[in-house]
Amino acid sequence: MKESHYLAGKILLREEINIHNDQFHHLIELGYLQSIPAITRKFHQYKCNRCHTTTLHHFGKIPCSRCQTTHVYCRNCIQTGRVLFCEELFLWTGPDIVWPQQKNPCYWDGTLTKHQQLAANAILHATSKPKQELLIWAVCGAGKTEMLYPAITEAIRHNKRICLATPRADVVQELYPRLKEVFPNTEMEALYGGTGVRTGVGQLIIATTHQLIRYQNAFDLLIIDELDAFPFHHDPLLHQFAVRSAKKYATKIYLTATPRPKQKRLIESNKLKAIFVPIRFHGYPLPVPRLRLELGLKRKISQNKMLHSLEAFLDSHDPKRQWLLFVPTIQLLTPFAKLLEEKGLDLATVHADDPKRKEKITAYREGKINVLITTTILERGVTFPSIDVVMIDAGHDVFDEAAIVQIAGRAGRSPKDPTGDVLLIHQGKTEAMIQAVKQIKRMNQKGKAL
């Protein structure tokens, strides 16, 4: 494999460049690798040139065994490898990548719906021109991934490099096998914290937005999925990583079912072009959440007591049917697991820092677990074909309007089971609940009018 395939478009520490020293120095002599300081200082202000932070408390000091002195290091990006003041970052300045030529890279034999095709055409048109930005506002279950296939196909045909970035590792894990099946002959890599194997080579990269910290001027087509999701929505540095990872004339495609007010204002002021897809791929409406008031909800939760609304749901629910139970905090996972285990339910709990998170989600997807109790990590981006959804303490701050819409969107995703149940158990209606229900009904009305 040529060095360009491995190094081009990346900004790496020496320890992250997995080549022999002789080869490394030869590339520097040829002028194919350029170095810049990992951390710079101007007066009393430091800047990390990998994550761009200049915030004072992001920098600390640590003994350096190599220099036998104490050095500043960056705390902000330490999860992706420690960066010291004495180190350098390396960028590829050699020949451009030439990927294997493919006339027909796409092996998908499905058919897009009329509304998916309109969105796909708009994406394809945007990728044919430089510096284009396009937002696809598509309801949960509209089939956003399939809408991308024509544009990705054309990009591969024209020797372009593509990145599909998303804030959630679970989404990367779900998308990678799907895209690998559709584009089997394309060099592809899935990047997230805890990735098992990193080949370092990919014409099509599926990654969490955090992983873009290692890319600079890399992608001709950058797709940001779940644009509004945490942590991407809340972290300006992740936006900087995304901007830096794209080439100057790259096309940027944004996907979301629940755009934030900022994106809505840009759309309304014609500063961001948008395509709206208000109907699911199977043509059925989104499930409208049922709101159930539970008197004394907080007290019952604190006393680990079964909720009347949850008991009623269990009494009427098909015991063979899978469902997700969303709780607002990690601390509530175990108490609700114990309550449901007493009912004889086969279940598991999962949260962001669960070391067996991937295995549990896979087991649930394969039908080996009937109930998965989860935090908001599964609120979006994952597809289970035939499930119902229950949300505990739906009035909690963590369940904002976007989260409720996304969680409701987990149900009814299969054409064989398009009417999944969504239950919101609360102690009092919140504005988020009210607006989420209104938004879902509004989408359904628009879809019905088409």
Side-chain angles (χ1 to χ4, degrees), residues 156-177:
I156 293 170
R157 283 175 179 162
H158 289 87
N159 195 48
K160 293 181 178 181
R161 199 176 193 184
I162 310 104
C163 178
L164 174 50
T166 176
R168 304 289 177 89
D170 303 284
V171 181
V172 176
Q173 292 164 13
E174 177 171 304
L175 286 176
Y176 177 74

Side-chain angles (χ1 to χ4, degrees), residues 287-391:
V288 179
R290 298 185 294 120
L291 276 56
R292 289 293 179 268
L293 176 65
E294 180 78 24
L295 297 176
L297 173 66
K298 304 285 189 182
R299 173 180 54 79
K300 292 174 183 176
I301 288 176
S302 67
Q303 296 175 354
N304 297 331
K305 290 185 175 180
M306 175 58 76
L307 307 179
H308 294 307
S309 301
L310 185 56
E311 187 91 63
F313 171 81
L314 292 173
D315 290 341
S316 61
H317 192 260
D318 181 352
K320 296 180 181 179
R321 186 173 171 81
Q322 285 185 300
W323 53 290
L324 288 173
L325 179 66
F326 284 87
V327 295
T329 65
I330 293 176
Q331 290 74 23
L332 292 181
L333 291 170
T334 300
F336 275 96
K338 289 180 179 178
L339 288 172
L340 294 179
E341 282 172 346
E342 291 174 1
K343 300 288 183 179
L345 296 176
D346 181 19
L347 58 84
T349 64
V350 66
H351 57 88
D353 297 322
D354 189 335
K356 296 184 178 180
R357 169 180 171 182
K358 182 178 179 181
E359 291 84 351
K360 290 177 181 178
I361 294 172
T362 299
Y364 182 74
R365 194 184 305 283
E366 294 173 352
K368 297 175 182 177
I369 299 170
N370 203 44
V371 185
L372 197 57
I373 308 175
T374 179
T375 57
T376 54
I377 61 160
L378 295 184
E379 76 175 35
R380 62 177 71 221
V382 291
T383 299
F384 306 111
S386 184
I387 66 166
D388 297 318
V389 173
V390 177
M391 194 186 307

Side-chain angles (χ1 to χ4, degrees), residues 88-320:
E88 293 177 304
L89 293 166
F90 295 90
L91 301 89
W92 179 259
T93 52
D96 291 338
I97 306 175
V98 179
W99 299 102
Q101 181 65 41
Q102 296 186 65
K103 291 185 178 180
N104 299 298
C106 183
Y107 281 68
W108 186 59
D109 59 1
T111 304
L112 296 175
T113 67
K114 179 179 70 174
H115 306 292
Q116 285 178 316
Q117 189 65 60
L118 290 172
N121 291 345
I123 298 169
L124 190 59
H125 180 71
T127 58
S128 67
K129 296 183 178 181
K131 300 181 72 172
Q132 295 295 301
E133 288 188 299
L134 175 66
L135 175 78
I136 303 299
W137 181 351
V139 298
C140 299
K144 294 189 291 292
T145 304
E146 288 78 6
M147 299 175 201
L148 298 171
Y149 292 166
I152 293 175
T153 298
E154 283 302 299
I156 293 170
R157 283 175 179 162
H158 289 87
N159 195 48
K160 293 181 178 181
R161 199 176 193 184
I162 310 104
C163 178
L164 174 50
T166 176
R168 304 289 177 89
D170 303 284
V171 181
V172 176
Q173 292 164 13
E174 177 171 304
L175 286 176
Y176 177 74
R178 289 174 61 187
L179 290 170
K180 192 63 181 173
E181 184 177 356
V182 173
F183 300 100
N185 299 319
T186 301
E187 291 283 358
M188 198 178 303
E189 191 172 23
L191 301 176
Y192 55 91
T195 301
V197 178
R198 292 178 184 269
T199 64
V201 178
Q203 184 177 7
L204 173 55
I205 302 291
I206 304 101
T208 58
T209 48
H210 280 91
Q211 296 295 322
L212 297 182
I213 193 173
R214 293 189 176 92
Y215 288 89
Q216 179 166 313
N217 195 32
F219 303 112
D220 303 280
L221 173 58
L222 177 63
I223 304 162
I224 305 291
D225 191 15
E226 306 292 353
L227 175 71
D228 61 296
F230 178 86
F232 188 77
H233 168 64
H234 297 272
D235 192 341
L237 284 176
L238 295 179
H239 288 260
Q240 290 185 39
F241 298 162
V243 170
R244 184 180 67 180
S245 74
K247 293 181 180 179
K248 183 178 179 180
Y249 295 102
T251 295
K252 300 182 182 73
I253 306 296
Y254 309 115
L255 308 175
T256 181
T258 48
R260 300 286 178 170
K262 178 182 178 181
Q263 284 90 45
K264 291 180 180 179
R265 288 193 297 269
L266 290 172
I267 294 168
E268 291 167 359
S269 61
N270 294 319
K271 293 180 179 179
L272 178 61
K273 185 177 179 181
I275 300 295
F276 186 54
V277 185
I279 190 167
R280 288 181 149 187
F281 79 95
H282 53 51
Y284 289 87
L286 292 154
V288 179
R290 298 185 294 120
L291 276 56
R292 289 293 179 268
L293 176 65
E294 180 78 24
L295 297 176
L297 173 66
K298 304 285 189 182
R299 173 180 54 79
K300 292 174 183 176
I301 288 176
S302 67
Q303 296 175 354
N304 297 331
K305 290 185 175 180
M306 175 58 76
L307 307 179
H308 294 307
S309 301
L310 185 56
E311 187 91 63
F313 171 81
L314 292 173
D315 290 341
S316 61
H317 192 260
D318 181 352
K320 296 180 181 179

Side-chain angles (χ1 to χ4, degrees), residues 36-49:
I36 61 172
I39 297 175
T40 51
R41 179 181 179 181
K42 187 174 183 180
F43 302 111
H44 297 292
Q45 186 177 50
Y46 290 98
K47 178 183 178 181
C48 174
N49 289 315

Side-chain angles (χ1 to χ4, degrees), residues 68-85:
Q68 301 300 314
T69 186
T70 300
H71 276 318
V72 165
Y73 74 101
C74 178
R75 292 191 182 106
N76 190 54
C77 60
I78 196 167
Q79 288 185 333
T80 48
R82 189 168 61 203
V83 177
L84 288 167
F85 186 77

